[in-house]
Amino acid sequence: MILTKPIVLLTVTLNSTIIFILFFRPNPLPPKQDTMARSFVLWLHGLGDSGPANEPIKTLFTSPEFRFTKWSFPSAPNNPVTCNYGSVMPSWFDIHEIPVTANSPKDEAGVLKAVQNVHAMIDKEIAAGTDPKNVFVCGFSQGGALTLASILLYPKTLGGGAVFSGWIPFNSSLIEKFSVDARKVRNLLQTPILWSHGMADRTVLFEAGQAGPPFLEQAGVSCEFKAYPGLGHSISNEELRNLESWIKSRLSSSS
């Protein structure tokens, strides 16, 4: 069974002193309006993992731009998984074989069903007032594959999608569907994608990651691909630091 635990946890203890002024308290100044926009980061975990296990990721994003960021770490439903002999575990959709290669069989029906659930989460946040251009979907491994599908099929421009050690979860025939949708919704294919992949990954082979940029280029999607020598099937702190900078640059341009 593949259990992904993608990050080293950092614990910070803060000591604080609270001083109460009981007499002659001056009238408080009106609060300064903060110009930083509210943002939303949706993180999709890998096969066999859970949302709560990934929540410490947000503690690494310490830049002021993330002061008003809402994070969401949903958990996948329990489903039988073919590559693990039908064992039931948290899984967004079925995976037929491990390692995943560029030509592995696809569970397109399962992916599209999972995409609907991701879109419902995004829709709910946008309805609550978050600008779509400040919405970011990120995912590791199976969650990275679902991130890619969710970004490509969402009918609005979002801030970005980040794929870590993921793969293309559908066949190239869907590129034609993207093109049709693009004609209906002109801004569909403007959501940028950051793709990071370890060159020593033996679970989702590096070739599966390398297949991403050419596929996205055919679909007219901008993709920044980063290869990490020596990295296996996990997320490094270096990748997360790069993600922080990548999101920051888009928050400042879309706020």
Side-chain angles (χ1 to χ4, degrees):
M1 183 169 67
I2 304 163
L3 298 176
T4 55
K5 297 296 178 185
I7 180 171
V8 176
L9 310 186
L10 300 179
T11 302
V12 179
T13 302
L14 300 178
N15 294 318
S16 61
T17 302
I18 303 175
I19 301 175
F20 293 91
I21 301 176
L22 300 179
F23 300 101
F24 306 108
R25 184 174 67 178
N27 292 327
L29 295 174
K32 182 180 179 180
Q33 181 68 36
D34 201 306
T35 58
M36 285 186 286
R38 170 178 170 178
S39 58
F40 178 64
V41 177
L42 176 62
W43 187 276
L44 304 174
H45 64 75
L47 176 66
D49 206 350
S50 72
N54 286 264
E55 287 187 12
I57 287 174
K58 65 184 179 183
T59 66
L60 301 181
F61 290 68
T62 57
S63 299
E65 287 83 356
F66 294 91
R67 190 185 313 160
F68 299 107
T69 297
K70 177 182 176 182
W71 293 77
S72 179
F73 295 87
S75 293
N78 290 320
N79 288 305
V81 179
T82 300
C83 69
N84 282 334
Y85 307 100
S87 297
V88 175
M89 63 187 64
S91 180
W92 301 108
F93 52 86
D94 196 17
I95 299 176
H96 292 278
E97 64 181 21
I98 292 293
V100 177
T101 71
N103 298 312
S104 289
K106 324 290 191 207
D107 175 24
E108 290 189 346
V111 169
L112 294 177
K113 181 179 179 181
V115 163
Q116 291 179 351
N117 292 331
V118 173
H119 284 181
M121 300 177 207
I122 297 172
D123 290 342
K124 181 178 180 181
E125 185 60 28
I126 292 175
T130 302
D131 187 329
K133 292 185 180 180
N134 282 331
V135 171
F136 297 84
V137 185
C138 311
F140 172 73
S141 191
Q142 187 190 44
L146 179 55
T147 291
L148 182 65
S150 299
I151 289 292
L152 289 176
L153 294 173
Y154 196 71
K156 293 180 181 179
T157 299
L158 301 177
V163 177
F164 295 91
S165 304
W167 67 92
I168 303 165
F170 32 57
N171 296 309
S172 58
S173 59
L174 279 184
I175 292 181
E176 184 176 348
K177 174 177 172 55
F178 299 154
S179 300
V180 171
D181 288 344
R183 288 194 291 270
K184 295 178 181 177
V185 186
R186 295 301 304 174
N187 62 1
L188 174 64
L189 299 181
Q190 294 178 8
T191 300
I193 291 176
L194 171 67
W195 195 311
S196 304
H197 212 111
M199 297 180 69
D201 195 332
R202 298 183 181 278
T203 301
V204 179
L205 299 187
F206 186 63
E207 67 169 62
Q210 283 182 305
F215 176 88
L216 292 171
E217 183 178 355
Q218 292 181 58
V221 179
S222 171
C223 177
E224 179 181 345
F225 186 84
K226 289 188 173 294
Y228 290 82
L231 180 65
H233 195 62
S234 62
I235 298 181
S236 68
N237 285 342
E238 182 182 358
E239 287 179 293
L240 291 174
R241 286 194 298 268
N242 184 59
L243 174 64
E244 180 179 21
S245 298
W246 189 79
I247 292 179
K248 278 171 57 178
S249 67
R250 279 148 187 82
L251 282 174
S252 60
S253 63
S254 60
S255 298

